[in-house]
Amino acid sequence: PDLVGNSRRQRRIWKVLALSAFLTAVIVAAWVSLGYLERHVRQGTGEALDTVVEMVQESVQEWAEGNRRLAEQWAGRPEIIEGCDHLRTLGRDPETLLADPTLIRLQALMEDRIRRDGGGDVLIIGRDRTNLFSTREGNVGQINVIGQQRPERLEAALSGDSVFVPPVRSMPPNVAPEEQEIEAFSLASIRGTNGEVIGVLAVGFGANETIRRVLNHGRIGRTGETYAFDRMGMMVSDSRFPESLVQAGLIGKGGQTSLSIRVLDPGAPLDVGPDSLAPRGEWPLTLMARRATTGQSGIDVQGYRDYRGIQVFGAWRWVESLGIGLATEIDASEALSVYSTARMIVVGLSGLISVLTGLLLYVNEKGSRQMAQRLRDARDEWERVAEQKSNALHNSEERLRSF
């Protein structure tokens, strides 16, 4: 009996080990497959984001290049050269400049150009950074806003380069920010008869609508967003999520995000409320913005917080020739939605297999015990009957001897 019992126990142990090994193999295979799926999803998302930001970069550069060529063409026109050469000899009194016949002729020329080709403000900037001419009369004789807000771009133009100027607030500073118009410019040097730079022609174009149109074509998914920012991490395009910024008190209702919001990491989602966030002055640039503003282009599919405090995947490029960075991002939760669904299915199936395996083991063990009990009962019954027969035979023998 001991040998039989030991054999049964060994068989039970082997069954448990075999089923455990099978279950372990299934779970390990499932998690290995999940790991592969996650890596594949992250890699695919990164490649898609990089393709989008590359496409957006090409579109923005093409757009800026077209405006640069236009500015160069106008800067080379005799009317512009002669007008700049004359106006720079006058004082900087706005009334004197506005009353000059040369400025009036330039005004008519530029108004005709704007009606024909569209565009924004056009200015002639002297070497002293003063507006010698502007299609907005209020700007004439004033210090140029590009020299105030993007001085390095104006300096490059005064040195003889044709440059793109990221969006600036083009209206006078005494106008409320929400009413100020945002414009980007192309700058081209105006050269005198001896080849020296005597001024700069600035051709403006409404940045918000044009940039919005270009960037909106470059996004993926429901939560995808592509935006532009300058060297300081200031957004120079509109956010897709102004409601979040309004609720957090970062902008007023109906306010602009361009030139109002820096790409900072609040440390947590904005919707947790200001009391749960660090003071705004302590927020650092997001991981993407820190790298991009140092001239690095890259991709991150491990996840980082964006300016809303949401975990995102992103790809970015720094475009040195334009002085701006471009980023395209998507919420990590959306990017990993396929993986998350697959993980839930695998976890559910693994749990189901574990339960079914345990149930099978329990039923098998219970059946084995019941069978063993029936065999023991049969054996006991057989032994009882055999003993009765043996006793009967013994009694018969005893009676036979007595007879």
Side-chain angles (χ1 to χ4, degrees):
D2 291 340
L3 291 175
V4 173
N6 289 336
S7 176
R8 288 172 180 164
R9 281 193 296 275
Q10 288 178 353
R11 283 199 298 272
R12 285 198 297 271
I13 292 173
W14 279 112
K15 286 179 183 178
V16 171
L17 291 176
L19 288 172
S20 299
F22 168 74
L23 184 59
T24 301
V26 169
I27 294 175
V28 168
W31 284 104
V32 168
S33 298
L34 275 178
Y36 171 79
L37 176 62
E38 181 182 11
R39 289 192 298 274
H40 179 74
V41 169
R42 289 180 186 269
Q43 180 181 353
T45 302
E47 291 173 353
L49 290 169
D50 192 51
T51 299
V52 168
V53 79
E54 180 180 10
M55 178 191 69
V56 169
Q57 178 183 348
E58 291 174 355
S59 298
V60 171
Q61 286 181 308
E62 182 179 352
W63 167 65
E65 177 63 18
N67 284 283
R68 184 191 66 79
R69 288 195 298 267
L70 177 64
E72 285 184 342
Q73 290 171 6
W74 277 88
R77 293 185 61 158
E79 305 98 308
I80 300 296
I81 297 173
E82 294 168 4
C84 178
D85 199 30
H86 171 72
L87 291 173
R88 69 184 181 130
T89 64
L90 304 179
R92 296 299 181 259
D93 177 59
E95 292 185 3
T96 301
L97 289 168
L98 289 169
D100 190 85
T102 299
L103 186 143
I104 295 172
R105 285 195 298 272
L106 287 174
Q107 191 82 23
L109 177 68
M110 290 305 172
E111 287 177 355
D112 180 66
R113 174 257 168 188
I114 291 172
R115 282 195 301 270
R116 186 178 67 252
D117 301 332
D121 196 11
V122 179
L123 305 98
I124 294 177
I125 309 166
R127 292 197 63 86
D128 60 355
R129 287 69 176 166
T130 301
N131 296 322
L132 303 177
F133 165 82
S134 174
T135 49
R136 300 179 192 271
E137 293 185 355
N139 290 334
V140 174
Q142 305 297 320
I143 298 297
N144 182 260
V145 294
I146 300 172
Q148 295 174 329
Q149 300 176 39
R150 310 282 185 194
E152 74 288 351
R153 312 305 284 184
L154 182 56
E155 291 303 318
L158 288 169
S159 298
D161 296 332
S162 297
V163 297
F164 170 82
V165 179
V168 297
R169 296 190 184 278
S170 64
M171 293 294 286
N174 57 340
V175 177
E178 61 272 13
E179 297 178 7
Q180 293 180 1
E181 185 174 339
I182 294 175
E183 278 192 293
F185 288 87
S186 283
L187 305 184
S189 303
I190 303 173
R191 297 182 180 273
T193 54
N194 60 358
E196 69 170 321
V197 177
I198 60 175
V200 170
L201 179 70
V203 179
F205 35 95
N208 274 356
E209 189 59 38
T210 306
I211 291 179
R212 184 187 303 117
R213 185 170 60 252
V214 173
L215 299 185
N216 282 352
H217 285 299
R219 68 179 191 228
I220 60 174
R222 179 177 50 82
T223 60
E225 179 183 25
T226 300
Y227 56 92
F229 51 94
D230 64 14
R231 181 73 74 177
M232 298 302 295
M234 182 71 72
M235 291 183 71
V236 294
S237 62
D238 288 331
S239 168
R240 271 198 69 200
F241 310 102
E243 300 83 5
S244 299
L245 303 176
V246 171
Q247 291 174 3
L250 300 182
I251 60 173
K253 189 173 182 180
Q256 300 180 96
T257 55
S258 181
L259 296 180
S260 298
I261 295 295
R262 294 185 70 203
V263 188
L264 302 177
D265 177 4
L270 291 175
D271 57 14
V272 302
D275 294 339
S276 301
L277 300 173
R280 191 179 179 189
E282 299 177 7
W283 296 0
L285 290 172
T286 66
L287 178 144
M288 177 280 299
R290 286 200 306 273
R291 295 179 179 175
T293 53
T294 59
Q296 301 178 50
S297 299
I299 304 171
D300 188 294
V301 291
Q302 299 307 309
Y304 60 91
R305 284 185 296 271
D306 68 355
Y307 62 90
R308 300 169 295 150
I310 303 296
Q311 284 287 321
V312 297
F313 295 165
W316 59 89
R317 300 283 179 90
W318 180 257
V319 189
E320 185 63 38
S321 62
L322 303 182
I324 62 172
L326 299 168
T328 185
E329 296 170 337
I330 184 173
D331 288 7
S333 58
E334 181 183 3
L336 293 176
S337 58
V338 173
Y339 164 73
S340 300
T341 301
R343 184 175 61 181
M344 290 176 59
I345 293 173
V346 168
V347 170
L349 288 176
S350 297
L352 180 61
I353 291 173
S354 299
V355 171
L356 291 177
T357 301
L359 184 61
L360 178 62
L361 187 62
Y362 170 76
V363 171
N364 182 270
E365 180 66 18
K366 184 176 180 180
S368 297
R369 289 180 178 179
Q370 290 176 344
M371 179 61 72
Q373 185 62 45
R374 285 196 293 270
L375 289 174
R376 285 194 296 272
D377 292 343
R379 183 196 62 190
D380 293 343
E381 180 64 19
W382 179 83
E383 289 177 348
R384 185 182 62 78
V385 171
E387 185 178 2
Q388 289 177 349
K389 295 292 185 182
S390 178
N391 291 336
L393 181 60
H394 178 72
N395 292 335
S396 296
E397 289 177 350
E398 288 293 329
R399 286 196 296 272
L400 184 60
R401 286 195 198 96
S402 298
F403 180 74

